[in-house]
Amino acid sequence: MDRYLLIVSTVCFLAAVVHTAIELRAGVFRPMRFNFFAVGLGFIFQTAFLSLRGHELGRCPLTNLFEVFIFLAWSVAAIYMLVGPGYRLSLMGAFTAPLVVILQVFALIAPIDIRHPAKLPANPWLEFHASISLVAYGVFALACIAGVMYLVQERQLKTHQLHSIFYHLPPLTDLFAAITRLLWWGFVLYTLGIVSGFFTGHPLPRVQVVAAIGVWLLYAVIIQGRHLRWLAPKRVAALCIIGFSVALTLLWGITFTTEIHQLP
Amino acid sequence: MNLFCIGLSHHTVDVATREQFGGSATAESIVRDAGCTEALLLTTCNRVEVYAVALKRISTDEIARCLMRKIDTDPHDYAPPFYRYEAEKCVQHLFRVASALDSMVLGESEILGQAKKAYESARKSGAVGPCLHRLFQRAFRVAKQVRTHTEIARGAVSVASVAVDLAQRIFGKLRDCKVLVLGAGETSERTARALISRGVSDLRVSNRSLDRACELAQAVGGSAVPFDEWAAQCREIDILITSTASETPLLTLDILAPMLRARLDRPLFIIDIAVPRDVDPRVNQMEGVYLYDIDSIRSVAEQSLALRRQQVAAAEAIIAEHVTDFVDSISRGLNRESQTGQHPSLSENSLRPSEL
């Protein structure tokens, strides 16, 4: 039953992607209403899925890689809905939806929804650590999306080739301000996630700690580079994309190889 | 009852012919002199058009006579190619005009304001009755829908508007932007004024002749900068507009590079409208610098126009839908009134379905 909710949610996000593609092709790109509703509806079904799964498990649904990916997709959609309009980045829906579709389609197709035979006991610190870390990943994902938007806009301005989407993307300075804020939010949340990991009462696998600190250091360098003006905005945007790709790969690798959520 | 439109536009005649018509005529005088029940006169630099409703057919010559500046001249002496649209064609033409599909610059925004002004003026004089009222209200609605649901008005098509549009795409709100105008030419001045109209408050002018710089600075509400100090301004400014008569580039990589280090996180938008160019084109390769010369600005304007042309079919579809709906609504109104036996003012002035 819960998988059906996820399929419906994926269809909603896919509708936003298809709608964007059709409009871009026709040169009449209008990102606002349809995309926001499609993403909003998809988000409601995602929430319903996570809620059902959470009730079933009796804890935060982060017990396998499948749930981790869905929770990450949910974080991305939730943060888009929270900060997108506030940062005047409503077009992000056109960029957010494809990322959510990729995450959810992968989670639905890959054989990674392996249920644990025994019911796992609730551990508030572990659940907080896992969920806050994934919300941080969601913020980094949005920073990555804003980075893509920045590079698209910057490229068009540099080459003097302005397409239909140019007139719908936010100004460069607004995008850069949004990237900076998202980096800070993500960094603070990720730091909280790492720190709370030490309070879970379980020994942390070394590979997980090293990877988490690696990601933390990477984002610390990007933020410092931006703050001290070592890095030009274009490089910060590119590093947001690289940073999130690295973080996502490590998240997958760690979750897949170390079975972090399997409690004794 | 006849609804018709008679006019001249940039499509059919040159400005020398257009300027012979429409001078002192008003909607009121057309109603009086031509015997229409309702009339509206739309005169812009590109068109002179009369929209009218009459009980009997009124000839094109009759309307032309009302529009002529020299009242003693016979319209046949000019024989200008007045176009005439009746009933449904008239409705369609007005919707196209209001939506700027018939304009010289496709998708321009001025025509809608001009049509509203013409309507308001005719309404105040009592020349507009219920038929033209409904027609023009619908035309304004159609124009708005076309602008909202298509990209017909997207992008800018003049040097000044392209510059302002691009500046907004880079900086967002222009309120905090610092602008330096280098060379006090006419296009620079127009661009500077366009930027000021969008909120720029810090505008500096530099010119070889300080007097001319002061003159322009005063005219646009900016401040003058001595010519030998302009380069140092590049540390602070966000937008540079250059149009000097220099034979060699004034701004090169060597001059700009050290200044950019101090402003790494702030973009610099350069509009070089000088020929020969004032800015070395390689400057565009520098991080955070967006250089547009006159050719690239024209290219952006052409891209905008091409984008607008792509939207014509979508706009025509919206218009066609509204024309059908408008004609149907008039017909339904007439049928309802004939069934109830009432003869409100609208029925007296409305169009018979057969005539649509």
Side-chain angles (χ1 to χ4, degrees), chain A residues 179-213:
Chain A
I179 289 172
T180 307
R181 286 183 204 141
L182 288 166
L183 279 173
W184 272 111
W185 275 110
F187 187 71
V188 169
L189 292 171
Y190 197 67
T191 308
L192 275 175
I194 289 178
V195 172
S196 60
F198 293 102
F199 294 95
T200 55
H202 300 287
L204 297 170
R206 179 172 291 178
V207 64
Q208 189 191 346
V209 174
V210 170
I213 290 173

PDB file of all heavy atoms in Angstrom, chain A residues 179-213:
ATOM      1  N   ILE A 179      22.439  30.791  -2.581  1.00  0.00           N
ATOM      2  CA  ILE A 179      23.447  29.722  -2.431  1.00  0.00           C
ATOM      3  C   ILE A 179      24.173  29.899  -1.095  1.00  0.00           C
ATOM      4  O   ILE A 179      24.345  28.943  -0.322  1.00  0.00           O
ATOM      5  CB  ILE A 179      24.460  29.765  -3.607  1.00  0.00           C
ATOM      6  CG1 ILE A 179      23.800  29.290  -4.901  1.00  0.00           C
ATOM      7  CG2 ILE A 179      25.688  28.913  -3.309  1.00  0.00           C
ATOM      8  CD1 ILE A 179      24.655  29.480  -6.145  1.00  0.00           C
ATOM      9  N   THR A 180      24.567  31.126  -0.811  1.00  0.00           N
ATOM     10  CA  THR A 180      25.312  31.392   0.428  1.00  0.00           C
ATOM     11  C   THR A 180      24.472  31.008   1.654  1.00  0.00           C
ATOM     12  O   THR A 180      24.956  30.316   2.557  1.00  0.00           O
ATOM     13  CB  THR A 180      25.693  32.892   0.495  1.00  0.00           C
ATOM     14  OG1 THR A 180      26.369  33.228  -0.710  1.00  0.00           O
ATOM     15  CG2 THR A 180      26.578  33.195   1.677  1.00  0.00           C
ATOM     16  N   ARG A 181      23.206  31.459   1.652  1.00  0.00           N
ATOM     17  CA  ARG A 181      22.337  31.148   2.808  1.00  0.00           C
ATOM     18  C   ARG A 181      22.116  29.642   2.944  1.00  0.00           C
ATOM     19  O   ARG A 181      22.171  29.094   4.041  1.00  0.00           O
ATOM     20  CB  ARG A 181      20.979  31.825   2.637  1.00  0.00           C
ATOM     21  CG  ARG A 181      21.040  33.298   2.881  1.00  0.00           C
ATOM     22  CD  ARG A 181      19.647  33.877   2.759  1.00  0.00           C
ATOM     23  NE  ARG A 181      19.711  35.279   2.428  1.00  0.00           N
ATOM     24  CZ  ARG A 181      18.909  35.893   1.592  1.00  0.00           C
ATOM     25  NH1 ARG A 181      17.966  35.230   0.971  1.00  0.00           N
ATOM     26  NH2 ARG A 181      19.022  37.170   1.357  1.00  0.00           N
ATOM     27  N   LEU A 182      21.865  28.984   1.808  1.00  0.00           N
ATOM     28  CA  LEU A 182      21.616  27.537   1.849  1.00  0.00           C
ATOM     29  C   LEU A 182      22.860  26.794   2.333  1.00  0.00           C
ATOM     30  O   LEU A 182      22.751  25.826   3.098  1.00  0.00           O
ATOM     31  CB  LEU A 182      21.193  27.030   0.463  1.00  0.00           C
ATOM     32  CG  LEU A 182      19.787  27.431   0.030  1.00  0.00           C
ATOM     33  CD1 LEU A 182      19.577  27.200  -1.465  1.00  0.00           C
ATOM     34  CD2 LEU A 182      18.723  26.659   0.822  1.00  0.00           C
ATOM     35  N   LEU A 183      24.036  27.250   1.906  1.00  0.00           N
ATOM     36  CA  LEU A 183      25.272  26.606   2.368  1.00  0.00           C
ATOM     37  C   LEU A 183      25.397  26.719   3.881  1.00  0.00           C
ATOM     38  O   LEU A 183      25.722  25.740   4.563  1.00  0.00           O
ATOM     39  CB  LEU A 183      26.489  27.260   1.697  1.00  0.00           C
ATOM     40  CG  LEU A 183      26.818  26.802   0.271  1.00  0.00           C
ATOM     41  CD1 LEU A 183      27.932  27.654  -0.308  1.00  0.00           C
ATOM     42  CD2 LEU A 183      27.238  25.329   0.250  1.00  0.00           C
ATOM     43  N   TRP A 184      25.106  27.905   4.414  1.00  0.00           N
ATOM     44  CA  TRP A 184      25.196  28.099   5.864  1.00  0.00           C
ATOM     45  C   TRP A 184      24.186  27.231   6.605  1.00  0.00           C
ATOM     46  O   TRP A 184      24.522  26.562   7.579  1.00  0.00           O
ATOM     47  CB  TRP A 184      24.979  29.581   6.228  1.00  0.00           C
ATOM     48  CG  TRP A 184      26.264  30.367   6.201  1.00  0.00           C
ATOM     49  CD1 TRP A 184      26.611  31.335   5.313  1.00  0.00           C
ATOM     50  CD2 TRP A 184      27.377  30.230   7.102  1.00  0.00           C
ATOM     51  NE1 TRP A 184      27.869  31.817   5.588  1.00  0.00           N
ATOM     52  CE2 TRP A 184      28.368  31.164   6.689  1.00  0.00           C
ATOM     53  CE3 TRP A 184      27.639  29.416   8.205  1.00  0.00           C
ATOM     54  CZ2 TRP A 184      29.587  31.299   7.345  1.00  0.00           C
ATOM     55  CZ3 TRP A 184      28.859  29.559   8.862  1.00  0.00           C
ATOM     56  CH2 TRP A 184      29.813  30.482   8.424  1.00  0.00           C
ATOM     57  N   TRP A 185      22.927  27.229   6.119  1.00  0.00           N
ATOM     58  CA  TRP A 185      21.892  26.407   6.764  1.00  0.00           C
ATOM     59  C   TRP A 185      22.282  24.932   6.738  1.00  0.00           C
ATOM     60  O   TRP A 185      22.187  24.231   7.746  1.00  0.00           O
ATOM     61  CB  TRP A 185      20.540  26.596   6.053  1.00  0.00           C
ATOM     62  CG  TRP A 185      19.774  27.768   6.545  1.00  0.00           C
ATOM     63  CD1 TRP A 185      19.522  28.934   5.874  1.00  0.00           C
ATOM     64  CD2 TRP A 185      19.147  27.904   7.827  1.00  0.00           C
ATOM     65  NE1 TRP A 185      18.799  29.781   6.654  1.00  0.00           N
ATOM     66  CE2 TRP A 185      18.539  29.182   7.861  1.00  0.00           C
ATOM     67  CE3 TRP A 185      19.046  27.082   8.954  1.00  0.00           C
ATOM     68  CZ2 TRP A 185      17.840  29.645   8.958  1.00  0.00           C
ATOM     69  CZ3 TRP A 185      18.344  27.549  10.057  1.00  0.00           C
ATOM     70  CH2 TRP A 185      17.755  28.815  10.051  1.00  0.00           C
ATOM     71  N   GLY A 186      22.695  24.477   5.580  1.00  0.00           N
ATOM     72  CA  GLY A 186      23.083  23.064   5.427  1.00  0.00           C
ATOM     73  C   GLY A 186      24.247  22.722   6.336  1.00  0.00           C
ATOM     74  O   GLY A 186      24.254  21.668   6.997  1.00  0.00           O
ATOM     75  N   PHE A 187      25.211  23.636   6.413  1.00  0.00           N
ATOM     76  CA  PHE A 187      26.408  23.392   7.214  1.00  0.00           C
ATOM     77  C   PHE A 187      26.054  23.286   8.700  1.00  0.00           C
ATOM     78  O   PHE A 187      26.514  22.380   9.402  1.00  0.00           O
ATOM     79  CB  PHE A 187      27.407  24.525   6.971  1.00  0.00           C
ATOM     80  CG  PHE A 187      28.738  24.297   7.606  1.00  0.00           C
ATOM     81  CD1 PHE A 187      29.611  23.339   7.115  1.00  0.00           C
ATOM     82  CD2 PHE A 187      29.140  25.035   8.715  1.00  0.00           C
ATOM     83  CE1 PHE A 187      30.855  23.122   7.696  1.00  0.00           C
ATOM     84  CE2 PHE A 187      30.375  24.829   9.305  1.00  0.00           C
ATOM     85  CZ  PHE A 187      31.235  23.868   8.801  1.00  0.00           C
ATOM     86  N   VAL A 188      25.207  24.194   9.152  1.00  0.00           N
ATOM     87  CA  VAL A 188      24.803  24.175  10.573  1.00  0.00           C
ATOM     88  C   VAL A 188      24.038  22.880  10.884  1.00  0.00           C
ATOM     89  O   VAL A 188      24.323  22.194  11.881  1.00  0.00           O
ATOM     90  CB  VAL A 188      23.935  25.422  10.898  1.00  0.00           C
ATOM     91  CG1 VAL A 188      23.278  25.286  12.260  1.00  0.00           C
ATOM     92  CG2 VAL A 188      24.782  26.686  10.842  1.00  0.00           C
ATOM     93  N   LEU A 189      23.104  22.519  10.022  1.00  0.00           N
ATOM     94  CA  LEU A 189      22.320  21.293  10.248  1.00  0.00           C
ATOM     95  C   LEU A 189      23.205  20.051  10.191  1.00  0.00           C
ATOM     96  O   LEU A 189      23.057  19.125  10.993  1.00  0.00           O
ATOM     97  CB  LEU A 189      21.197  21.192   9.208  1.00  0.00           C
ATOM     98  CG  LEU A 189      20.074  22.230   9.317  1.00  0.00           C
ATOM     99  CD1 LEU A 189      19.145  22.157   8.112  1.00  0.00           C
ATOM    100  CD2 LEU A 189      19.266  22.018  10.603  1.00  0.00           C
ATOM    101  N   TYR A 190      24.133  20.058   9.246  1.00  0.00           N
ATOM    102  CA  TYR A 190      25.025  18.899   9.107  1.00  0.00           C
ATOM    103  C   TYR A 190      25.932  18.772  10.331  1.00  0.00           C
ATOM    104  O   TYR A 190      26.184  17.668  10.824  1.00  0.00           O
ATOM    105  CB  TYR A 190      25.860  19.052   7.829  1.00  0.00           C
ATOM    106  CG  TYR A 190      26.501  17.760   7.386  1.00  0.00           C
ATOM    107  CD1 TYR A 190      25.720  16.699   6.925  1.00  0.00           C
ATOM    108  CD2 TYR A 190      27.880  17.593   7.425  1.00  0.00           C
ATOM    109  CE1 TYR A 190      26.298  15.512   6.525  1.00  0.00           C
ATOM    110  CE2 TYR A 190      28.469  16.402   7.020  1.00  0.00           C
ATOM    111  CZ  TYR A 190      27.669  15.370   6.570  1.00  0.00           C
ATOM    112  OH  TYR A 190      28.248  14.185   6.174  1.00  0.00           O
ATOM    113  N   THR A 191      26.389  19.913  10.839  1.00  0.00           N
ATOM    114  CA  THR A 191      27.217  19.904  12.057  1.00  0.00           C
ATOM    115  C   THR A 191      26.410  19.312  13.219  1.00  0.00           C
ATOM    116  O   THR A 191      26.915  18.469  13.979  1.00  0.00           O
ATOM    117  CB  THR A 191      27.681  21.343  12.397  1.00  0.00           C
ATOM    118  OG1 THR A 191      28.279  21.891  11.236  1.00  0.00           O
ATOM    119  CG2 THR A 191      28.664  21.362  13.544  1.00  0.00           C
ATOM    120  N   LEU A 192      25.162  19.747  13.318  1.00  0.00           N
ATOM    121  CA  LEU A 192      24.283  19.191  14.370  1.00  0.00           C
ATOM    122  C   LEU A 192      24.144  17.681  14.204  1.00  0.00           C
ATOM    123  O   LEU A 192      24.161  16.922  15.181  1.00  0.00           O
ATOM    124  CB  LEU A 192      22.889  19.829  14.281  1.00  0.00           C
ATOM    125  CG  LEU A 192      22.672  21.156  14.989  1.00  0.00           C
ATOM    126  CD1 LEU A 192      21.273  21.673  14.681  1.00  0.00           C
ATOM    127  CD2 LEU A 192      22.824  20.956  16.495  1.00  0.00           C
ATOM    128  N   GLY A 193      23.984  17.252  12.957  1.00  0.00           N
ATOM    129  CA  GLY A 193      23.848  15.822  12.661  1.00  0.00           C
ATOM    130  C   GLY A 193      25.075  15.046  13.101  1.00  0.00           C
ATOM    131  O   GLY A 193      24.965  13.988  13.736  1.00  0.00           O
ATOM    132  N   ILE A 194      26.256  15.597  12.795  1.00  0.00           N
ATOM    133  CA  ILE A 194      27.501  14.900  13.166  1.00  0.00           C
ATOM    134  C   ILE A 194      27.648  14.843  14.694  1.00  0.00           C
ATOM    135  O   ILE A 194      27.923  13.792  15.276  1.00  0.00           O
ATOM    136  CB  ILE A 194      28.723  15.609  12.527  1.00  0.00           C
ATOM    137  CG1 ILE A 194      28.715  15.373  11.014  1.00  0.00           C
ATOM    138  CG2 ILE A 194      30.030  15.106  13.135  1.00  0.00           C
ATOM    139  CD1 ILE A 194      29.841  16.047  10.271  1.00  0.00           C
ATOM    140  N   VAL A 195      27.416  15.976  15.320  1.00  0.00           N
ATOM    141  CA  VAL A 195      27.578  16.031  16.787  1.00  0.00           C
ATOM    142  C   VAL A 195      26.593  15.065  17.463  1.00  0.00           C
ATOM    143  O   VAL A 195      26.967  14.300  18.358  1.00  0.00           O
ATOM    144  CB  VAL A 195      27.384  17.482  17.296  1.00  0.00           C
ATOM    145  CG1 VAL A 195      27.350  17.518  18.819  1.00  0.00           C
ATOM    146  CG2 VAL A 195      28.499  18.373  16.780  1.00  0.00           C
ATOM    147  N   SER A 196      25.351  15.070  16.989  1.00  0.00           N
ATOM    148  CA  SER A 196      24.351  14.180  17.626  1.00  0.00           C
ATOM    149  C   SER A 196      24.695  12.707  17.410  1.00  0.00           C
ATOM    150  O   SER A 196      24.282  11.851  18.199  1.00  0.00           O
ATOM    151  CB  SER A 196      22.948  14.492  17.090  1.00  0.00           C
ATOM    152  OG  SER A 196      22.903  14.288  15.698  1.00  0.00           O
ATOM    153  N   GLY A 197      25.479  12.419  16.360  1.00  0.00           N
ATOM    154  CA  GLY A 197      25.899  11.032  16.115  1.00  0.00           C
ATOM    155  C   GLY A 197      26.704  10.459  17.261  1.00  0.00           C
ATOM    156  O   GLY A 197      26.689   9.247  17.507  1.00  0.00           O
ATOM    157  N   PHE A 198      27.405  11.344  17.967  1.00  0.00           N
ATOM    158  CA  PHE A 198      28.235  10.868  19.086  1.00  0.00           C
ATOM    159  C   PHE A 198      27.414  10.573  20.344  1.00  0.00           C
ATOM    160  O   PHE A 198      27.927  10.064  21.315  1.00  0.00           O
ATOM    161  CB  PHE A 198      29.335  11.902  19.397  1.00  0.00           C
ATOM    162  CG  PHE A 198      30.345  12.028  18.292  1.00  0.00           C
ATOM    163  CD1 PHE A 198      30.299  13.094  17.404  1.00  0.00           C
ATOM    164  CD2 PHE A 198      31.314  11.049  18.102  1.00  0.00           C
ATOM    165  CE1 PHE A 198      31.220  13.205  16.372  1.00  0.00           C
ATOM    166  CE2 PHE A 198      32.248  11.151  17.070  1.00  0.00           C
ATOM    167  CZ  PHE A 198      32.193  12.231  16.200  1.00  0.00           C
ATOM    168  N   PHE A 199      26.134  10.931  20.318  1.00  0.00           N
ATOM    169  CA  PHE A 199      25.279  10.695  21.499  1.00  0.00           C
ATOM    170  C   PHE A 199      24.330   9.515  21.316  1.00  0.00           C
ATOM    171  O   PHE A 199      23.412   9.327  22.092  1.00  0.00           O
ATOM    172  CB  PHE A 199      24.446  11.953  21.789  1.00  0.00           C
ATOM    173  CG  PHE A 199      25.262  13.128  22.212  1.00  0.00           C
ATOM    174  CD1 PHE A 199      25.680  14.068  21.290  1.00  0.00           C
ATOM    175  CD2 PHE A 199      25.639  13.283  23.537  1.00  0.00           C
ATOM    176  CE1 PHE A 199      26.442  15.153  21.668  1.00  0.00           C
ATOM    177  CE2 PHE A 199      26.408  14.380  23.921  1.00  0.00           C
ATOM    178  CZ  PHE A 199      26.817  15.317  22.991  1.00  0.00           C
ATOM    179  N   THR A 200      24.521   8.758  20.234  1.00  0.00           N
ATOM    180  CA  THR A 200      23.561   7.688  19.946  1.00  0.00           C
ATOM    181  C   THR A 200      23.728   6.491  20.882  1.00  0.00           C
ATOM    182  O   THR A 200      22.860   5.634  20.957  1.00  0.00           O
ATOM    183  CB  THR A 200      23.717   7.189  18.496  1.00  0.00           C
ATOM    184  OG1 THR A 200      25.080   6.796  18.312  1.00  0.00           O
ATOM    185  CG2 THR A 200      23.342   8.266  17.495  1.00  0.00           C
ATOM    186  N   GLY A 201      24.885   6.432  21.547  1.00  0.00           N
ATOM    187  CA  GLY A 201      25.115   5.319  22.471  1.00  0.00           C
ATOM    188  C   GLY A 201      25.634   4.080  21.774  1.00  0.00           C
ATOM    189  O   GLY A 201      25.715   3.015  22.370  1.00  0.00           O
ATOM    190  N   HIS A 202      25.948   4.216  20.503  1.00  0.00           N
ATOM    191  CA  HIS A 202      26.494   3.087  19.746  1.00  0.00           C
ATOM    192  C   HIS A 202      27.843   3.468  19.176  1.00  0.00           C
ATOM    193  O   HIS A 202      28.038   4.627  18.801  1.00  0.00           O
ATOM    194  CB  HIS A 202      25.560   2.707  18.593  1.00  0.00           C
ATOM    195  CG  HIS A 202      24.206   2.304  19.067  1.00  0.00           C
ATOM    196  ND1 HIS A 202      23.964   1.109  19.685  1.00  0.00           N
ATOM    197  CD2 HIS A 202      23.030   2.967  19.016  1.00  0.00           C
ATOM    198  CE1 HIS A 202      22.679   1.046  20.011  1.00  0.00           C
ATOM    199  NE2 HIS A 202      22.085   2.160  19.619  1.00  0.00           N
ATOM    200  N   PRO A 203      28.765   2.528  19.075  1.00  0.00           N
ATOM    201  CA  PRO A 203      30.052   2.852  18.440  1.00  0.00           C
ATOM    202  C   PRO A 203      29.841   3.177  16.953  1.00  0.00           C
ATOM    203  O   PRO A 203      29.100   2.473  16.268  1.00  0.00           O
ATOM    204  CB  PRO A 203      30.871   1.569  18.617  1.00  0.00           C
ATOM    205  CG  PRO A 203      29.873   0.489  18.865  1.00  0.00           C
ATOM    206  CD  PRO A 203      28.672   1.126  19.496  1.00  0.00           C
ATOM    207  N   LEU A 204      30.462   4.267  16.502  1.00  0.00           N
ATOM    208  CA  LEU A 204      30.272   4.681  15.113  1.00  0.00           C
ATOM    209  C   LEU A 204      31.347   4.041  14.225  1.00  0.00           C
ATOM    210  O   LEU A 204      32.529   4.062  14.594  1.00  0.00           O
ATOM    211  CB  LEU A 204      30.370   6.202  15.007  1.00  0.00           C
ATOM    212  CG  LEU A 204      29.304   6.990  15.759  1.00  0.00           C
ATOM    213  CD1 LEU A 204      29.650   8.475  15.779  1.00  0.00           C
ATOM    214  CD2 LEU A 204      27.941   6.784  15.117  1.00  0.00           C
ATOM    215  N   PRO A 205      30.937   3.470  13.107  1.00  0.00           N
ATOM    216  CA  PRO A 205      31.952   2.887  12.207  1.00  0.00           C
ATOM    217  C   PRO A 205      32.916   3.973  11.724  1.00  0.00           C
ATOM    218  O   PRO A 205      32.488   5.077  11.392  1.00  0.00           O
ATOM    219  CB  PRO A 205      31.121   2.344  11.041  1.00  0.00           C
ATOM    220  CG  PRO A 205      29.724   2.307  11.514  1.00  0.00           C
ATOM    221  CD  PRO A 205      29.587   3.338  12.578  1.00  0.00           C
ATOM    222  N   ARG A 206      34.216   3.605  11.691  1.00  0.00           N
ATOM    223  CA  ARG A 206      35.234   4.594  11.337  1.00  0.00           C
ATOM    224  C   ARG A 206      34.982   5.190   9.943  1.00  0.00           C
ATOM    225  O   ARG A 206      35.113   6.394   9.745  1.00  0.00           O
ATOM    226  CB  ARG A 206      36.614   3.941  11.402  1.00  0.00           C
ATOM    227  CG  ARG A 206      37.724   4.921  11.008  1.00  0.00           C
ATOM    228  CD  ARG A 206      39.083   4.361  11.250  1.00  0.00           C
ATOM    229  NE  ARG A 206      39.367   4.226  12.672  1.00  0.00           N
ATOM    230  CZ  ARG A 206      40.495   3.724  13.164  1.00  0.00           C
ATOM    231  NH1 ARG A 206      41.430   3.307  12.339  1.00  0.00           N
ATOM    232  NH2 ARG A 206      40.704   3.633  14.457  1.00  0.00           N
ATOM    233  N   VAL A 207      34.605   4.316   8.994  1.00  0.00           N
ATOM    234  CA  VAL A 207      34.423   4.786   7.624  1.00  0.00           C
ATOM    235  C   VAL A 207      33.327   5.863   7.556  1.00  0.00           C
ATOM    236  O   VAL A 207      33.439   6.853   6.819  1.00  0.00           O
ATOM    237  CB  VAL A 207      34.137   3.595   6.663  1.00  0.00           C
ATOM    238  CG1 VAL A 207      32.822   2.899   7.001  1.00  0.00           C
ATOM    239  CG2 VAL A 207      34.099   4.056   5.204  1.00  0.00           C
ATOM    240  N   GLN A 208      32.313   5.666   8.380  1.00  0.00           N
ATOM    241  CA  GLN A 208      31.202   6.641   8.401  1.00  0.00           C
ATOM    242  C   GLN A 208      31.675   7.984   8.967  1.00  0.00           C
ATOM    243  O   GLN A 208      31.359   9.046   8.435  1.00  0.00           O
ATOM    244  CB  GLN A 208      30.060   6.082   9.228  1.00  0.00           C
ATOM    245  CG  GLN A 208      28.807   6.918   9.131  1.00  0.00           C
ATOM    246  CD  GLN A 208      27.764   6.500  10.159  1.00  0.00           C
ATOM    247  OE1 GLN A 208      27.875   5.440  10.766  1.00  0.00           O
ATOM    248  NE2 GLN A 208      26.774   7.326  10.339  1.00  0.00           N
ATOM    249  N   VAL A 209      32.451   7.890  10.044  1.00  0.00           N
ATOM    250  CA  VAL A 209      32.938   9.127  10.689  1.00  0.00           C
ATOM    251  C   VAL A 209      33.856   9.893   9.735  1.00  0.00           C
ATOM    252  O   VAL A 209      33.731  11.105   9.548  1.00  0.00           O
ATOM    253  CB  VAL A 209      33.681   8.794  12.009  1.00  0.00           C
ATOM    254  CG1 VAL A 209      34.307  10.041  12.606  1.00  0.00           C
ATOM    255  CG2 VAL A 209      32.721   8.152  13.006  1.00  0.00           C
ATOM    256  N   VAL A 210      34.760   9.133   9.089  1.00  0.00           N
ATOM    257  CA  VAL A 210      35.723   9.772   8.172  1.00  0.00           C
ATOM    258  C   VAL A 210      34.969  10.431   7.015  1.00  0.00           C
ATOM    259  O   VAL A 210      35.234  11.580   6.641  1.00  0.00           O
ATOM    260  CB  VAL A 210      36.751   8.733   7.648  1.00  0.00           C
ATOM    261  CG1 VAL A 210      37.590   9.314   6.507  1.00  0.00           C
ATOM    262  CG2 VAL A 210      37.655   8.280   8.787  1.00  0.00           C
ATOM    263  N   ALA A 211      34.001   9.717   6.448  1.00  0.00           N
ATOM    264  CA  ALA A 211      33.240  10.260   5.302  1.00  0.00           C
ATOM    265  C   ALA A 211      32.458  11.497   5.734  1.00  0.00           C
ATOM    266  O   ALA A 211      32.445  12.505   5.015  1.00  0.00           O
ATOM    267  CB  ALA A 211      32.301   9.190   4.758  1.00  0.00           C
ATOM    268  N   ALA A 212      31.821  11.419   6.907  1.00  0.00           N
ATOM    269  CA  ALA A 212      31.010  12.547   7.373  1.00  0.00           C
ATOM    270  C   ALA A 212      31.895  13.779   7.605  1.00  0.00           C
ATOM    271  O   ALA A 212      31.534  14.898   7.209  1.00  0.00           O
ATOM    272  CB  ALA A 212      30.278  12.177   8.662  1.00  0.00           C
ATOM    273  N   ILE A 213      33.058  13.559   8.212  1.00  0.00           N
ATOM    274  CA  ILE A 213      33.962  14.695   8.452  1.00  0.00           C
ATOM    275  C   ILE A 213      34.507  15.227   7.118  1.00  0.00           C
ATOM    276  O   ILE A 213      34.681  16.438   6.939  1.00  0.00           O
ATOM    277  CB  ILE A 213      35.082  14.297   9.448  1.00  0.00           C
ATOM    278  CG1 ILE A 213      34.445  14.122  10.843  1.00  0.00           C
ATOM    279  CG2 ILE A 213      36.194  15.348   9.510  1.00  0.00           C
ATOM    280  CD1 ILE A 213      35.337  13.588  11.908  1.00  0.00           C
TER     281      ILE A 213
END
